[in-house]
Amino acid sequence: MSAIISPTYRPTNNTWYAKNTVPKLLIEATENVTVTLYFKDQEAQEWQPYIAFRGSYSPDFNGEIWVDFNGVYDSFISTKMPTASQTSLVQDKIWYYFRVVVVDSSGDNVGTAITWQVFNAKLNSATPFQTWSQQNFLTNQPMEKTTNYEAPEWLTYLDLDDKGDRIVIGRFYPKEGGAVDCIVNDDACSGCFSVNVNYARLIPMVDRLPHQLKGYYDIVLTDGNLNEICRQRYIYKERSGREKYFLFVNALGGIDTLICKGENVLAPDITHNIGRFGRQYRALDDTNDMRKWTQHIGQVPNHQRNWIYELLTAKQGAEKYDPETMEYLEIVVDSSELSMSDFGQLAGSPFSYILNDTENVVADTERPDRSLHQSVADQAEELNDRTTKVTVTFVHGATEPVIIHSDALYVLFDSEKGANASVYYFTDGIKAGEFKPGVDESPVRITIKEGASVHFETEGLVRSLELRYYPTNNI
């Protein structure tokens, strides 16, 4: 009587897998064995008594026992969806640790336990998930994706470095050339992170005003030495007012936003029952009516059809974003009619949903436009200016105080000849700093306390200043 675990057909110890790429386990045996799959999350220290699966197996006529845990993982791993006011998420349930122990009929362990990590992703690539995930954002969305100031845009990445040195940078491009960066997220430990990279959140972080910038921006993931790992570009397109915003957990475990410009139709399932009571009929409240909407995606480039197909078939979680209340509403997509040809330039399809796993994987080789194009960037429109404008005038070398409802103030001025004298700014009557209109570049960004009173004094020739700020309640 004997039993051994095959050294070839088995998960590799301490390896990361997408949940559709975990190898089957082969046990070569002449006796019955008991297979136990243990699990633990990112916080748990001990394996006991967390049993995901246990079963007894008998060898076939070839003396082989094949064990496939596919489907077990789905009961544990999941991607968290955002809620109102969140700008980042630590995905602490997006992967689990698993360990398999095989015991023979005498109660002795067969070989040693095998441990591996399973991530909430389905990857169709020749590159192993552990390598692929360190070179890409967890998304199959177009690398050049249109957006607007309302749309929530989320990117997810997995940092396996022990130091947790990944940095997410927002990069904007001034019209005069060059680039200006802001740090969007800087994780201090390894793990998986989802970050909101939408325009409304990023633009106040940049030391430029919208009219000074080109109409697109990049999100760059770097390591601790600022070496670029991967990049995503967003092309700004002003909203039409018809947009609806839907967030889906994609096949790679990340969060993608689908902006739909087509009609949104309320098409509920309603059943009316009536009963007779004496000489009168009454409506009976004994039916389960369902509010249901049909959303038409609108006309989108036909090369996005694989990505849209992935979102509608991932079936791992979806939300509808309300830009007016800035809330995320959990929804369930219950039907879709995807029909997009590869001949027409534009295509559209509807899907139906209500308020509150099939293996459908898009190969990474099918993701179109894996390089950035200047011709696409040139089509970007002017960035939306969300600032509040205030003009102050110097009278006898001082301005009237102004209350600023923000923690950052942009001061614009003309670099007048002979205006090299300093301008001093005061917050709540206390001198806080200075700048020189003839030397410093306009605008000057001043960090202040929200709600502070600001005024300016000078002995130079500056006659007026234009103040711009992003009201806190608009960010």
Side-chain angles (χ1 to χ4, degrees), residues 12 24 34 41 63 75 110 131 145 157 183 213 218 231 251 311-313 315 363 384 398 405 409 418-419 432 471:
T12 303
K24 296 180 182 180
T34 300
D41 62 18
S75 301
V110 176
T131 302
K145 183 178 185 293
Y157 64 96
I183 295 179
L213 301 170
D218 292 345
R231 179 185 297 240
L311 298 184
L312 294 178
T313 57
K315 302 173 185 175
N384 183 273
H405 299 286
L409 177 65

Side-chain angles (χ1 to χ4, degrees), residues 210-226:
H211 72 273
Q212 297 176 307
L213 301 170
K214 296 179 181 178
Y216 62 95
Y217 64 94
D218 292 345
I219 303 299
V220 183
L221 181 64
T222 73
D223 61 19
N225 296 320
L226 299 182

Side-chain angles (χ1 to χ4, degrees), residues 380-422:
E381 300 178 3
E382 288 287 331
L383 297 177
N384 183 273
D385 193 341
R386 306 288 288 171
T387 59
T388 295
K389 175 182 175 182
V390 179
T391 301
V392 294
T393 304
F394 287 92
V395 178
H396 303 302
T399 69
E400 292 291 329
V402 179
I403 303 298
I404 305 299
H405 299 286
S406 180
D407 56 5
L409 177 65
Y410 297 86
V411 183
L412 290 83
F413 45 79
D414 292 328
S415 299
E416 302 179 40
K417 184 177 180 181
N420 290 331
S422 296

Side-chain angles (χ1 to χ4, degrees), residues 7-227:
T8 304
Y9 300 100
R10 50 175 282 182
T12 303
N13 205 42
N14 296 323
T15 296
W16 288 75
Y17 293 101
K19 59 187 179 182
N20 67 314
T21 63
V22 184
K24 296 180 182 180
L25 177 68
L26 172 60
I27 305 167
E28 298 173 354
T30 60
E31 60 180 304
N32 292 347
V33 298
T34 300
V35 178
T36 303
L37 182 69
Y38 296 93
F39 74 94
K40 68 175 183 176
D41 62 18
Q42 302 169 31
E43 302 297 328
Q45 301 298 318
E46 302 295 334
W47 290 96
Q48 300 287 353
Y50 304 110
I51 298 176
F53 171 83
R54 173 173 286 166
S56 297
Y57 293 86
S58 300
D60 61 17
F61 291 111
N62 296 318
E64 295 179 343
I65 299 172
W66 288 91
V67 184
D68 187 359
F69 299 113
N70 186 25
V72 176
Y73 309 120
D74 292 327
S75 301
F76 301 93
I77 51 182
S78 62
T79 299
K80 290 194 297 188
M81 297 292 281
T83 58
S85 76
Q86 284 185 308
T87 56
S88 63
L89 284 170
V90 178
Q91 297 289 357
D92 55 1
K93 301 298 181 184
I94 204 168
W95 86 78
Y96 268 71
Y97 297 88
F98 292 89
R99 172 175 292 179
V100 66
V101 176
V102 180
V103 177
D104 62 21
S105 57
S106 300
D108 297 326
N109 286 351
V110 176
T112 58
I114 307 170
T115 302
W116 64 93
Q117 292 81 250
V118 181
F119 195 87
N120 187 28
K122 293 182 179 180
L123 180 65
N124 186 1
S125 174
T127 305
F129 176 78
Q130 187 162 346
T131 302
W132 189 93
S133 64
Q134 301 309 289
Q135 301 170 349
N136 297 272
F137 285 114
L138 299 177
T139 180
N140 277 320
Q141 70 183 11
M143 284 191 67
E144 296 162 319
K145 183 178 185 293
T146 58
T147 190
N148 59 56
Y149 71 84
E150 281 186 344
E153 298 288 352
W154 290 79
L155 285 175
T156 304
Y157 64 96
L158 176 61
D159 183 0
L160 296 181
D161 193 288
D162 292 337
K163 297 178 293 184
D165 65 348
R166 297 293 186 266
I167 301 173
V168 181
I169 294 174
R171 180 163 295 167
F172 287 75
Y173 299 92
K175 293 178 179 178
E176 70 271 16
V180 289
D181 292 347
C182 62
I183 295 179
V184 181
N185 196 61
D186 184 1
D187 59 80
C189 59
S190 61
C192 184
F193 306 88
S194 295
V195 183
N196 192 346
V197 295
N198 73 315
Y199 168 77
R201 181 191 175 211
L202 266 57
I203 189 62
M205 301 179 182
V206 184
D207 292 337
R208 290 290 192 279
L209 291 173
H211 72 273
Q212 297 176 307
L213 301 170
K214 296 179 181 178
Y216 62 95
Y217 64 94
D218 292 345
I219 303 299
V220 183
L221 181 64
T222 73
D223 61 19
N225 296 320
L226 299 182
N227 298 313

